[in-house]
Amino acid sequence: MRIRRILAAVIATAALTGLGLTGAATATAATATATTATATSPAESPTPGECEKGGGMVDRATNTCKGGTFDGQMVD
């Protein structure tokens, strides 16, 4: 009877540890994907939507992004 309880505890611990590692790996992969998807290299111009998502506003007179992440960059 004691052995069954110990074995059940070991299996439960292993299962919970496995879920924790899987969850951490998924969260890390999701973060890496999100960072890669929203990052724009300096050679590329942001779209108006990216400018606004980055906290800026599109200045239509000069076609640039004012404020935020893409401040001063030409908008596509």
Side-chain angles (χ1 to χ4, degrees):
M1 191 70 149
R2 238 172 146 179
I3 294 174
R4 286 186 201 163
R5 287 186 197 150
I6 292 171
L7 184 60
V10 169
I11 292 171
T13 303
L16 290 174
T17 302
L19 289 176
L21 292 174
T22 303
T26 302
T28 303
T31 303
T33 302
T35 303
T36 305
T38 57
T40 304
S41 66
E44 296 178 10
S45 298
T47 63
E50 289 173 335
C51 175
E52 291 170 2
K53 283 182 184 177
M57 292 178 54
V58 178
D59 182 2
R60 299 288 179 188
T62 59
N63 208 28
T64 58
C65 186
K66 299 289 183 186
T69 307
F70 303 105
D71 188 32
Q73 291 187 15
M74 296 297 292
V75 178
D76 238 355

